[in-house]
Amino acid sequence: MKTSFNWLKQYVDIDISPKELCDKMVMAGFEVEEITDLSETMKNVVAGKIVDIKKHEDSDHLQICMLDIGKEENLQIVTGADNIFVGATVPVALDNSLLPTGVKIKKGKLRGVDSFGMMCSGEELLLKESDYKGAEVHGILILDSSVAAGTDMREILNLFDYIIDFKITANRPDCSSIIGIAREAAAVLNKPFKAPKIDFKEVGDNIKNYLTVENQNYDICPRYMGKVVKNIRIKESPEWLKTVLKASGMRPINNIVDITNFVMLETGQPMHAFDLRELEDNKIIVRNAKKGEKIVLLDEKEVELKENMLVIADGVKPSCLAGVMGGMGSGIKPDTKEVFFECAKFKRDSIRKTAKAVGVRTESSARYEKGTDICNVEYALKRALHLICSLDAGDVVCGAYDLNKGFVTERKLDTSVSKINALLGLNIPGKKQEEILNSLLIKTTLKGDTLHCIIPSFRDDIEFTADIAEEVIRLYGCDHIEGTVLKGEQQQGKRLPKIEKRRALKLHLAGIGLNEIYTYSFIPKKEAEKLGLSNKNLIEILNPLGEEFSVMRTQLVSSMLNVLSTNMNKGNENCAFFELSKRFIAKEIPLKEQPQELTTLCIGAFGETDFYKIKGYVESVFEFLGVNPECVACSNIPYLHPGRTAEFTLNGERVAILGEVHPKTMESFSINKRTFIAEIYLENLEALNKKLVIFKPLPKFPAVNRDLALICSEDLNIGDMEKAIKKGAGKLLENLKLFDVYKGNQIEKGKKSVAFGLTLRSHEDTLTDEQIEQAINKALKELEKIGAVLRS
């Protein structure tokens, strides 16, 4: 809600700066988005009167002007403008001036002649015709002859003002108006609120002589009011009215239209004015649209209406799309003589659906969508009629239409001082609470400990004691609240063991050099195709924010690859990330029950990494969880390189996959470096986690080291060889380490040489040669069974 500081001061005696006011409003619960000092947009620009013009000797189009700028000496300016004349008053940007366009003006020379500034056009001052008459004329802006030379242009254009942009929350639609903000400012500053005048004079006659009004849908339109004004005198609005409209971002049009816009901004209640000539059969009917009806709106957009849309119609056709925008034919024209002013309360969800369906959102619809006060309808209409009379814009006819089925009863709420203090944890005196509530126009009477509150109709958000407590504390000051320790042992909270374990896992991953990332659980549907996966079982979002958030993810890999791609394309040389999040797996599509939410860990890296490093990360996780899955090669993961992929299984179930990203997948994600990724399915692993730490004494007997150099087929897995050695060597094998794999000219084609280092030790006595030989022979026999023999 953009609010003019000067306009706000008409309703409250504000004796502090805009910044101080905003600080106080923020402490009272109102967020301030921006404070704009209009005077800072233009500096050192004044009105100047041309007293002499002569031709430039060295130019056919340049002229040398002498201007009176309210100082002892006249100012010389060289210009190429051709619409100037002696006696004209024009804007003059002096030396070291700033224009609204951001341009700075300095003195200089044109064809050898000194020019001490620049005369400005309306375009250079960012003015339109509605801002100043003649602003859109080609050439220099000619000011009104009554403007005194030397007058600051900011004073002429009413730029000595601040625009404060308040962010209005959904529960406070009453503050979508100057009056709403002013009421709050008055309470915050402990100053009286000065309500605008609503008195007006009627000139006789009767409204029923002009038209009849009928309401056919009280559900959507619980109140519809209207008054007729005759002898309309269309003219330009006074300067004060145009200034406040422009400060709020609205374009002045004429006095009648400007009054309706002014009242909407001031009271928060939208209005519409109908030209009575355009109402066929002299009727206004509030009804639902009929099938096939169309209307051309004021923005010249033709829309086809649906039967659930409310319209304001005459005896034949719709004249206005209720709460959204008027029709082209019913608007005010330069020769309009009789006007019907409507003011109504519409159901908020109906207006929101209508505005969305026709693709039109206006200042009116925005206010109706948030909710308007049914009692404010009459006040706003009277305010408009007061302005009609005070601006001599027409004559108000006697009588009014007020179609309603009753108003909300006066809402009363009784609470107590002690309850509010208990909620707030403070000891605010009852008299202070009463004073605060009354300043907010919540009529409150204190009797003993009880507060009898009458809630104003514009405060729909107040229903319970907690709401009253909120009103008290936001004006009393949240800075009065002091931190206290929770009482009672039962209130001591702690994380669930599973959550605590996952936090510890994150710290562990960070400790081994990985950085955590967070990505959305919603992904594009095409991500599955980029990975070579089926998209048949994806859970689609019914009302997604966009295509990129259209389905729930069944894997974390695509999100990780997108993050790696972004970092790679931004020039990062080395990256290693992890994400601990959930996959969403549906048992069947369409969904008949909640999908499974499976906790998954994804690790991705590029740069200074390889297959074994990513495998080390995964094994580190297993070690942390206290499990020991078996690692085997696999080639059925479409987005991983078939020759550089492995999986970990435990009790016959896959618990992790890892490998190098397939070249086609890399291309799909715009990745140009070798990238490695792993996905660990934690849901099952955590259930299997029964880590038992057993402490052993330091060994008393020495260890024996032996190396085995073996020849085997290239296709034989290292993991199978390790299992064979462990099986053969038995309990004496303390450690097994692969230290060499060789393929080359000295080895038969199709074969490879593999070397292991074995550490043997007994915890009972020193090993004998016979025991060592026996363990090695048994290991060799097991290796022979899978096709691995000693290298000769």
Side-chain angles (χ1 to χ4, degrees):
M1 174 70 194
K2 290 187 176 180
T3 307
S4 162
F5 186 63
N6 288 342
W7 192 8
L8 196 61
K9 288 196 290 186
Q10 296 178 22
Y11 309 95
V12 188
D13 290 326
I14 302 174
D15 52 6
I16 57 177
S17 71
K19 176 67 168 60
E20 290 174 299
L21 174 65
C22 288
D23 289 342
K24 290 180 178 292
M25 293 291 280
V26 167
M27 293 303 295
F30 283 83
E31 185 177 341
V32 176
E33 300 234 347
E34 186 180 23
I35 305 174
T36 304
D37 184 354
L38 296 182
S39 68
E40 290 295 313
T41 61
M42 184 189 303
K43 290 182 179 179
N44 216 15
V45 183
V46 301
K49 188 170 235 179
I50 301 175
V51 295
D52 183 47
I53 301 175
K54 63 182 180 180
K55 284 282 185 183
H56 193 295
E57 294 181 358
D58 294 331
S59 174
D60 294 333
H61 68 283
L62 293 178
Q63 301 180 85
I64 302 172
C65 305
M66 300 301 293
L67 294 100
D68 175 9
I69 58 167
K71 295 184 178 180
E72 291 184 6
E73 295 184 5
N74 291 335
L75 189 74
Q76 178 174 290
I77 292 179
V78 181
T79 180
D82 56 7
N83 69 321
I84 57 172
F85 53 90
V86 173
T89 304
V90 298
V92 179
L94 305 177
D95 179 35
N96 200 28
S97 59
L98 173 68
L99 301 184
T101 56
V103 174
K104 294 181 179 179
I105 303 300
K106 300 280 189 180
K107 65 181 179 180
K109 287 187 177 184
L110 289 175
R111 298 283 180 95
V113 176
D114 289 329
S115 182
F116 295 93
M118 182 182 81
M119 290 182 276
C120 304
S121 65
E123 182 180 4
E124 287 163 331
L125 299 179
L126 293 183
L127 299 176
K128 294 183 179 179
E129 195 67 25
S130 57
D131 298 319
Y132 198 94
K133 192 172 182 180
E136 294 183 6
V137 172
H138 178 72
I140 301 300
L141 172 61
I142 306 299
L143 301 175
D144 190 280
S145 58
S146 62
V147 175
T151 305
D152 195 316
M153 281 300 297
R154 293 175 294 183
E155 182 181 334
I156 297 168
L157 298 173
N158 297 302
L159 294 182
F160 287 109
D161 193 7
Y162 293 84
I163 303 300
I164 305 172
D165 192 358
F166 290 100
K167 184 177 181 179
I168 308 302
T169 52
N171 67 318
R172 295 300 306 272
D174 58 298
C175 290
S176 295
S177 64
I178 294 293
I179 285 179
I181 297 293
R183 283 192 295 242
E184 290 294 323
V188 166
L189 300 175
N190 198 23
K191 298 284 185 74
F193 166 68
K194 296 181 284 187
K197 295 179 180 179
I198 56 172
D199 60 299
F200 61 91
K201 291 183 180 179
E202 295 178 327
V203 295
D205 211 339
N206 193 297
I207 191 172
K208 293 183 179 178
N209 296 333
Y210 291 84
L211 82 166
T212 59
V213 180
E214 179 184 352
N215 187 353
Q216 296 181 359
N217 194 332
Y218 283 98
D219 288 335
I220 298 179
C221 180
R223 188 178 192 184
Y224 188 88
M225 285 194 72
K227 289 279 288 182
V228 168
V229 178
K230 65 180 183 180
N231 302 326
I232 291 294
R233 296 175 279 279
I234 303 289
K235 54 188 174 182
E236 189 176 336
S237 295
E239 198 60 39
W240 69 265
L241 179 52
K242 291 193 292 183
T243 297
V244 294
L245 289 177
K246 287 184 287 188
S248 300
M250 301 193 81
R251 180 172 60 90
I253 298 174
N254 59 53
N255 54 351
I256 301 299
V257 176
D258 292 350
I259 285 171
T260 62
N261 287 333
F262 176 88
V263 170
M264 177 184 68
L265 293 171
E266 184 183 50
T267 67
Q269 174 63 50
M271 297 183 64
H272 185 63
F274 292 91
D275 188 332
L276 279 175
R277 293 175 304 177
E278 304 296 336
L279 299 179
E280 297 194 44
D281 297 339
N282 296 321
K283 285 184 179 179
I284 283 282
I285 304 172
V286 182
R287 62 171 173 83
N288 283 68
K290 297 175 182 177
K291 189 175 181 180
E293 280 189 320
K294 295 182 179 180
I295 186 173
V296 179
L297 301 175
L298 285 172
D299 63 357
E300 301 183 6
K301 179 181 180 179
E302 183 181 58
V303 296
E304 186 171 346
L305 304 174
K306 297 179 181 178
E307 293 175 87
N308 64 337
M309 296 178 179
L310 193 73
V311 298
I312 313 299
D314 57 26
V316 177
K317 65 187 185 305
S319 293
C320 177
L321 192 55
V324 180
M325 188 179 284
M328 177 65 76
S330 66
I332 303 300
K333 303 168 186 64
D335 60 345
T336 296
K337 293 300 179 187
E338 295 171 341
V339 165
F340 176 71
F341 281 95
E342 74 159 21
C343 207
K345 160 77 174 176
F346 297 117
K347 194 176 178 182
R348 65 179 75 181
D349 61 328
S350 174
I351 302 303
R352 179 180 60 80
K353 290 173 183 176
T354 298
K356 185 177 180 181
V358 300
V360 175
R361 198 165 188 274
T362 60
E363 290 280 354
S364 293
S365 68
R367 283 167 171 79
Y368 280 125
E369 286 173 27
K370 293 174 183 175
T372 55
D373 175 18
I374 196 169
C375 297
N376 194 34
V377 171
E378 183 177 4
Y379 183 88
L381 184 58
K382 287 181 177 180
R383 177 61 173 158
L385 297 174
H386 170 83
L387 293 170
I388 290 287
C389 294
S390 62
L391 299 182
D392 191 30
D395 302 321
V396 181
V397 172
C398 291
Y401 282 102
D402 188 357
L403 307 180
N404 64 80
K405 287 196 172 180
F407 309 127
V408 291
T409 56
E410 192 175 66
R411 291 186 297 134
K412 296 181 179 180
L413 177 61
D414 288 348
T415 184
S416 69
V417 173
S418 56
K419 279 184 181 179
I420 291 173
N421 281 333
L423 272 174
L424 299 176
L426 296 172
N427 187 22
I428 305 173
K431 279 292 181 184
K432 184 63 178 177
Q433 293 188 25
E434 180 186 30
E435 178 189 325
I436 289 171
L437 294 171
N438 278 310
S439 73
L440 292 166
L441 304 186
I442 301 171
K443 295 179 183 177
T444 305
T445 305
L446 176 65
K447 292 185 178 179
D449 187 54
T450 303
L451 291 165
H452 300 283
C453 304
I454 299 176
I455 312 302
S457 60
F458 58 82
R459 290 303 302 272
D460 280 344
D461 59 311
I462 298 178
E463 298 181 46
F464 310 108
T465 295
D467 300 320
I468 294 292
E470 181 184 351
E471 296 302 301
V472 170
I473 190 58
R474 72 187 184 87
L475 260 71
Y476 185 68
C478 293
D479 52 321
H480 287 87
I481 298 175
E482 294 182 4
T484 56
V485 178
L486 291 173
K487 296 178 181 178
E489 292 182 3
Q490 299 300 319
Q491 293 180 336
Q492 291 180 3
K494 61 181 181 180
R495 300 183 183 91
L496 293 171
K498 182 183 282 189
I499 302 300
E500 194 62 52
K501 186 104 183 181
R502 289 177 185 171
R503 290 185 77 248
L505 175 58
K506 288 184 178 183
L507 290 173
H508 172 75
L509 292 166
I512 62 175
L514 300 175
N515 293 301
E516 185 177 10
I517 63 169
Y518 286 91
T519 60
Y520 290 110
S521 295
F522 306 147
I523 62 172
K525 195 172 184 178
K526 62 183 179 182
E527 295 286 80
E529 297 174 3
K530 289 165 70 174
L531 293 174
L533 302 174
S534 170
N535 58 14
K536 291 182 180 178
N537 293 323
L538 296 177
I539 304 166
E540 296 193 20
I541 309 300
L542 291 177
N543 188 22
L545 295 173
E547 194 282 328
E548 64 271 28
F549 303 110
S550 58
V551 298
M552 305 294 291
R553 62 182 175 188
T554 58
Q555 40 68 36
L556 275 61
V557 172
S558 62
S559 302
M560 177 63 72
L561 289 177
N562 280 318
V563 173
L564 291 171
S565 175
T566 300
N567 280 270
M568 193 178 295
N569 293 324
K570 288 188 175 180
N572 290 330
E573 295 294 330
N574 301 288
C575 285
F577 299 126
F578 76 90
E579 181 176 18
L580 184 60
S581 190
K582 292 190 176 183
R583 299 179 295 130
F584 300 86
I585 309 298
K587 292 183 179 178
E588 57 181 328
I589 297 290
L591 284 177
K592 293 183 180 178
E593 58 181 296
Q594 286 289 342
Q596 291 178 287
E597 298 183 20
L598 303 178
T599 304
T600 305
L601 173 64
C602 187
I603 299 174
F606 66 82
E608 295 177 0
T609 191
D610 55 21
F611 177 87
Y612 296 103
K613 193 165 187 177
I614 202 84
K615 181 171 177 281
Y617 289 143
V618 175
E619 289 174 337
S620 176
V621 172
F622 293 149
E623 184 180 354
F624 176 85
L625 295 174
V627 294
N628 187 27
E630 181 182 349
C631 182
V632 294
C634 71
S635 58
N636 59 351
I637 312 298
Y639 53 85
L640 295 180
H641 198 297
R644 300 166 190 169
T645 303
E647 66 177 354
F648 282 90
T649 59
L650 193 62
N651 299 335
E653 185 176 353
R654 176 186 281 174
V655 293
I657 56 172
L658 70 145
E660 183 175 345
V661 178
H662 196 287
K664 286 186 178 179
T665 306
M666 291 172 60
E667 184 179 349
S668 298
F669 285 88
S670 302
I671 294 173
N672 52 30
K673 291 182 180 180
R674 293 182 65 185
T675 300
F676 299 86
I677 205 156
E679 203 170 47
I680 305 169
Y681 311 123
L682 292 178
E683 204 72 35
N684 295 330
L685 283 174
E686 288 177 331
L688 295 168
N689 179 18
K690 296 179 180 179
K691 187 175 181 180
L692 181 64
V693 179
I694 299 176
F695 292 94
K696 295 181 181 178
L698 292 173
K700 297 179 181 179
F701 305 102
V704 175
N705 296 317
R706 291 287 186 271
D707 293 340
L708 292 180
L710 306 163
I711 296 290
C712 64
S713 170
E714 281 186 338
D715 299 330
L716 184 60
N717 289 329
I718 302 295
D720 293 336
M721 298 174 74
E722 288 179 340
K723 283 193 286 184
I725 295 172
K726 289 176 182 178
K727 183 178 179 182
K731 294 181 179 180
L732 295 182
L733 183 64
E734 185 177 79
N735 189 32
L736 176 65
K737 183 177 181 182
L738 171 73
F739 66 84
D740 184 52
V741 177
Y742 174 74
K743 299 175 187 177
N745 296 333
Q746 299 177 20
I747 303 297
E748 183 183 344
K749 189 174 182 182
K751 301 283 187 179
K752 62 182 176 183
S753 171
V754 181
F756 291 98
L758 287 69
T759 301
L760 304 171
R761 189 196 304 266
S762 171
H763 291 279
E764 297 173 358
D765 52 23
T766 302
L767 288 175
T768 64
D769 290 342
E770 184 180 349
Q771 287 175 308
I772 296 168
E773 197 69 28
Q774 189 178 11
I776 295 296
N777 287 336
K778 286 182 179 180
L780 290 173
K781 283 182 181 180
E782 292 296 326
L783 287 165
E784 285 176 7
K785 291 178 183 179
I786 61 173
V789 297
L790 269 177
R791 180 177 175 184
S792 58

